[in-house]
Amino acid sequence: AALDPPMGTHYGPLAVLRRLSLVLGVVLSLAVVQATARAQDDEVAGDARGGYAWGDGGSGSAASTGEDPLRIQAFAGAGIGFRPLRNLDPPFLQDFIAPAYLDVGGAVFFPGTDLRHGAGLTFSTPLMDDPSGGQSTQAFTQWALTPSYHLLLPLRRWLSDMDEDILQIQGRVGVPIVLGPKLGDTSGVDVSVGVELGVALNVKILAGLGLYAEVQAGLYGGSSDTVHPVISVDGGFLFDYEVLP
């Protein structure tokens, strides 16, 4: 996720860790409960496919119309953001280009057919100092933790001439929780929240390995009760594994 200066709510480091542990526990518990329930209630129709999800789509009509099993994805990439509305007041003095950032995360997709539902978690941090002229964040000093709801559309189920799972469209909506040093007081920690939408194209190149390109739109909280809209693009490597019954 593209990052911007956090808003001015001050928490001690211990309190921040407690809140993050609570959020992570709730998200992961819900994902595990839903995945377990779906695995018990649903059977994978048609021929069972061996190995990874990339490549062989199975044989016969049952493999192309049956339900796919639980899928686990992980990704690592980088991107850059753009500010369509810049805050030119101190301490921001924002440039149009936001800092380049690193994205690392994953998602779990529950068994399904045409449209897969899932839950994911992403960690993001800026790779460079903010190029803005005002007082701002430095590289690797701000972190965003983003729990997200995901949708996955395998195009092979919509295109009759595509037999293998080569292309996917993936969408997500998330709530980034941004942690960073307090502006003007680096001894403290600021916490802010926002909302983020993303649409990605996944292209599979090897068994279990692919590339992705994503466009994101986000709205992030800032100090002095400001908000910061950011449009960003990123891409990188995607890893995929299907949990066969």
Side-chain angles (χ1 to χ4, degrees):
L3 306 179
D4 251 310
M7 67 196 323
T9 303
H10 183 89
Y11 294 93
L14 187 57
V16 170
L17 289 176
R18 289 198 195 101
R19 286 167 171 79
L20 282 180
S21 299
L22 179 61
V23 171
L24 279 173
V26 171
V27 171
L28 293 178
S29 297
L30 290 175
V32 170
V33 168
Q34 187 170 358
T36 303
R38 291 296 301 270
Q40 293 176 344
D41 295 339
D42 298 329
E43 294 183 358
V44 179
D47 299 330
R49 288 180 293 149
Y52 288 89
W54 317 103
D56 187 11
S59 60
S61 59
S64 62
T65 60
E67 186 174 78
D68 293 330
L70 186 75
R71 168 173 285 176
I72 300 174
Q73 287 188 353
F75 67 89
I80 192 167
F82 306 93
R83 300 181 175 108
L85 296 176
R86 296 180 293 159
N87 190 327
L88 300 179
D89 296 328
F92 302 110
L93 303 176
Q94 291 175 338
D95 287 344
F96 175 67
I97 299 178
Y101 61 91
L102 172 69
D103 255 355
V104 178
V108 175
F109 292 95
F110 310 114
T113 53
D114 295 344
L115 190 61
R116 307 287 296 276
H117 301 271
L121 193 64
T122 302
F123 292 92
S124 306
T125 187
L127 294 171
M128 56 184 292
D129 296 348
D130 194 326
S132 302
Q135 182 183 26
S136 190
T137 57
Q138 306 301 308
F140 300 104
T141 62
Q142 189 179 73
W143 294 86
L145 173 67
T146 308
S148 303
Y149 166 72
H150 288 249
L151 287 173
L152 183 68
L153 176 63
L155 291 184
R156 71 181 177 87
R157 293 191 172 275
W158 292 78
L159 302 176
S160 59
D161 58 344
M162 182 178 295
D163 296 328
E164 298 181 347
D165 191 17
I166 299 175
L167 297 176
Q168 298 173 343
I169 294 177
Q170 187 168 339
R172 64 181 181 88
V173 55
V175 179
I177 304 169
V178 184
L179 308 175
K182 186 177 177 61
L183 293 181
D185 180 14
T186 56
S187 62
V189 176
D190 274 348
V191 180
S192 67
V193 297
V195 61
E196 192 173 83
L197 301 173
V199 177
L201 175 66
N202 303 333
V203 181
K204 307 178 182 181
I205 54 177
L206 294 173
L209 176 65
L211 302 174
Y212 78 92
E214 184 178 40
V215 177
Q216 302 175 11
L219 189 65
Y220 308 93
S223 62
S224 303
D225 297 326
T226 58
V227 292
H228 304 269
V230 177
I231 296 174
S232 56
V233 293
D234 66 66
F237 293 98
L238 182 71
F239 306 92
D240 180 274
Y241 181 76
E242 283 191 339
V243 182
L244 299 175

